[in-house]
Amino acid sequence: MDKLVIEGGVKLKGEVVISGAKNSVLPILAATLLTDDACIIKSVPNLRDTNTMFKILRSLGKVVEYDGGVVTVTSGKSINYIADYKLVSTMRASICVLGPLLGRLKKAKVSLPGGCIIGDRPVDLHIKGIRALGADVHIESGYVVAGAKKLKGGHMYLGGVYGSSVLATDNVMMAAVLASGKTVIESAACEPEVADLAEFLIKMGAKIKGHGTPIIEIDGVKHLHGATHTIIPDRIEAGTMMLASLITDGDILVKNVCFRHLGALIDKLEESGAAIIKTDNSLRVRKRKQLRGVTITTLPYPGFETDMQAQMMSLMSVVPGTSLFTGRIYPDRFMHVAELRRMGAQIQREGPHAIVEGEKYLSGAPVMASDLRASACLVLAGLAARGKTSISRIYHLERGYENIEEKLQNLGARVWREKE
Ligand code: EPZ
C-alpha cells in the first residue's frame, strides 16, 4: 500500500481544474441499466469508486468502455438482476443499482452495503420508497430482495430522522420512471447530484419535474432510450481546493465550478474572512484578512455539506478563535479528530459536537486515513503543518479525488507518494 507524504508550509498558488462529480457519476452510471441503448457519459473522473461501478455494471451484463474521461455503456447479453456482495460491499453507493434493476426487470437482488466508518448507513428509506411503488421487498441473507408484477406510481414521504436521503431519492426516481402512473416524492433530496441524475433520465425520455426541490413528480413512461450527458463539477473537490488555498495562505483560481452548488461553504468562508471572487465558472480564493472561527452545522443541501465538515475542521484548527461543529447528518462523523490531534489540533468532542480551539500551527506527523473525506482533511492539515506529514491508507483518498497529488504539485505543494 502507498502513503502520501507532504512537506508543509508552502503557500499554494495557481490554477486547478475541478473534475466531474463522483456522487453524480455513480447513480448516472447505474441509470444506464434502464435501457439497452448506448449511453455516453462525459467528464467522468478516474476514481476507485467509478471503476468499482464499472465492474458492477459489467457483472450485471453491461459493456463499459472508459477512455479519456468518457464512458460508453452498451448492452451485452441479458441483464443480470443480482448485484453480488463482493463488489457491493466495497462501496456503499452500489445500492443505487437497486432502483434501475427493479424499474427495468421488475426484480432486483442487491447486497446490503457494508458498514461505514462515518456512521450508521441504513436503507429503510430506500425500502419504504420502492414499497410505495408496489414492490415486495425483504432482506434475505444480507441482500435486499425486491420484486413486482408491475410497478405503479405512488405518493410517498421520504424524509428520515436525519432528513432527506440522496441515494434513496435516486433509487425511487430510477424505479418510478418506468412505473405506470404518477409518482410524487415528498421530502426528496435536493442535492445537485440528484438533479443531475434527473436531467440524465429526462434526456433518456423520462418525465420528471421538481428535481432539486423537496417535491419531485414523475410520470412513468414505457421505454427509455440512450442519451449523452456531461457530469456536473464536483462541488466537494472544489470546496477542498478552496480550503487548500486558505489553509496555506495561498491564492488559487478554482476552475470548472458551479457557484450555486457552493452557497453554504462560500457563505461560511466569507464570514470567517476569506475573499472569494467569482468570474465565469471559476472562483479565486484567498484570505481577505485574518480568518476567524465559525460555527458549522451539517445539514441536507442547501445546508452546509456533511462531506465538507472534516476538511473545514482542518482549516479551523489553525485559525484563531473557537469553532463549533455539529453533525446533523452523521453525528459520529469525527474519525478525523484523533488524527488531527496527533498534529497538535485542540479539539473537544461531545456527542454530535466538536469544539475546535485554533492553534498557531499544526506539526507534521504520521497519520492514518479512515474514510474519503477524513483523508482529504489530513491532506489539508499536512499542507499547512510545519514539517512532514505521512498519510497511510490513501486508497480512501483515491476513491473520490482524481489526480490530487498532481493537482496539488501544480499549485506548488511538496507532496509525493512512498511505499508504506
Ligand atoms: C450520499 O450518501 C453521498 N454519497 C455521501 O457522500 C453524503 O455524505 C450523503 O449523501 C449525505 O449528503 C453518494 O452520493 C454516493 P443519505 P447517501 O442517504 O445517499 C440517513 C462522500 O464522501 N438514512 O443522503 O448514502 C443516513 O444514515 C459520501 O462522497 C436513513 O436514515 O446518504 C444519513 O444520516 C459519504 N435511511 C442521512 O439519512 C436511509 O434509508 C443522509 O444519508 C438512508 C439514509
Side-chain angles (χ1 to χ4, degrees):
M1 279 197 280
D2 287 352
K3 64 183 176 184
L4 206 61
V5 182
I6 302 173
E7 184 75 49
V10 175
K11 296 188 176 192
L12 300 190
K13 293 189 191 297
E15 298 186 356
V16 63
V17 178
I18 299 304
S19 301
K22 166 182 85 81
N23 290 351
S24 181
V25 170
L26 297 176
I28 284 177
L29 285 171
T32 63
L33 290 162
L34 288 163
T35 180
D36 276 336
D37 294 356
C39 292
I40 297 170
I41 320 292
K42 299 176 179 176
S43 190
V44 174
N46 183 15
L47 303 170
R48 199 176 276 272
D49 277 7
T50 44
N51 283 286
T52 298
M53 187 54 88
F54 298 162
K55 287 181 196 154
I56 291 170
L57 288 182
R58 289 176 183 131
S59 75
L60 294 171
K62 283 292 188 181
V63 176
V64 181
E65 287 147 34
Y66 180 50
D67 179 30
V70 179
V71 177
T72 304
V73 183
T74 50
S75 281
K77 46 194 187 321
S78 62
I79 296 290
N80 168 15
Y81 75 98
I82 300 175
D84 74 8
Y85 178 73
K86 63 180 184 306
L87 277 173
V88 172
S89 59
T90 62
M91 180 178 72
R92 169 181 166 80
S94 321
I95 191 73
C96 69
V97 301
L98 177 64
L101 286 174
L102 187 66
R104 180 77 192 286
L105 303 175
K106 307 298 180 275
K107 60 182 180 179
K109 185 176 175 186
V110 179
S111 167
L112 276 169
C116 188
I117 206 93
I118 64 175
D120 182 17
R121 308 293 292 272
V123 294
D124 57 305
L125 297 174
H126 298 248
I127 291 172
K128 176 181 180 182
I130 55 180
R131 276 189 177 141
L133 299 177
D136 297 317
V137 193
H138 61 279
I139 307 292
E140 186 185 302
S141 331
Y143 282 79
V144 178
V145 182
K149 284 196 182 47
K150 70 188 290 254
L151 291 175
K152 55 189 185 349
H155 192 130
M156 65 196 77
Y157 180 80
L158 221 46
V161 290
Y162 297 103
S164 55
S165 165
V166 170
L167 291 180
T169 303
D170 291 349
N171 262 331
V172 172
M173 255 196 324
M174 291 190 279
V177 289
L178 288 176
S180 60
K182 188 183 191 69
T183 293
V184 176
I185 306 173
E186 286 187 40
S187 190
C190 303
E191 274 70 4
E193 295 77 23
V194 174
D196 203 29
L197 169 64
E199 288 298 325
F200 177 61
L201 291 168
I202 290 166
K203 286 179 184 171
M204 295 174 80
K207 290 188 172 47
I208 301 172
K209 285 190 301 193
H211 44 295
T213 78
I215 310 275
I216 297 181
E217 295 186 5
I218 299 157
D219 288 304
V221 295
K222 290 232 179 311
H223 170 77
L224 292 178
H225 49 73
T228 297
H229 186 76
T230 300
I231 300 294
I232 56 172
D234 193 314
R235 60 194 169 102
I236 308 302
E237 185 195 12
T240 306
M241 290 299 176
M242 291 164 70
L243 296 188
S245 182
L246 295 170
I247 204 168
T248 61
D249 191 10
D251 186 344
I252 296 179
L253 184 66
V254 183
K255 302 175 80 168
N256 189 34
V257 299
C258 193
F259 306 140
R260 62 188 170 77
H261 295 169
L262 290 157
L265 178 66
I266 289 171
D267 178 58
K268 275 299 165 185
L269 292 178
E270 287 176 339
E271 178 190 329
S272 176
I276 297 176
I277 302 140
K278 301 173 184 172
T279 50
D280 304 329
N281 65 343
S282 303
L283 289 172
R284 185 172 175 195
V285 182
R286 60 187 194 284
K287 280 161 67 169
R288 186 178 72 244
K289 59 183 172 77
Q290 171 55 58
L291 302 182
R292 59 181 183 77
V294 290
T295 296
I296 300 284
T297 300
T298 62
L299 291 167
Y301 187 89
F304 192 93
E305 295 84 352
T306 174
D307 293 347
M308 282 300 302
Q309 179 261 107
Q311 301 92 307
M312 193 70 177
M313 192 174 285
S314 287
L315 177 61
M316 291 297 118
S317 298
V318 288
V319 156
T322 304
S323 295
L324 172 62
F325 287 77
T326 301
R328 289 288 179 231
I329 295 193
Y330 301 115
D332 298 325
R333 190 176 194 172
F334 290 113
M335 290 300 288
H336 44 284
V337 168
E339 300 305 303
L340 285 174
R341 284 188 184 131
R342 290 176 48 71
M343 300 176 74
Q346 295 301 313
I347 307 171
Q348 194 188 329
R349 271 294 313 280
E350 182 61 46
H353 308 291
I355 299 162
V356 181
E357 292 297 341
E359 286 293 294
K360 282 196 178 19
Y361 62 88
L362 296 177
S363 50
V367 290
M368 187 183 293
S370 55
D371 62 275
L372 170 55
R373 305 305 173 185
S375 44
C377 140
L378 296 173
V379 170
L380 292 174
L383 291 169
R386 291 184 183 174
K388 195 187 278 189
T389 298
S390 60
I391 304 170
S392 63
R393 300 189 180 180
I394 56 162
Y395 54 84
H396 289 293
L397 188 66
E398 293 161 349
R399 290 189 48 202
Y401 287 91
E402 185 179 45
N403 304 330
I404 189 163
E405 291 134 83
E406 194 184 323
K407 289 180 177 178
L408 292 173
Q409 287 162 353
N410 292 342
L411 293 166
R414 292 187 294 253
V415 54
W416 64 93
R417 214 172 259 253
E418 285 181 5
K419 286 285 166 236
E420 281 268 31

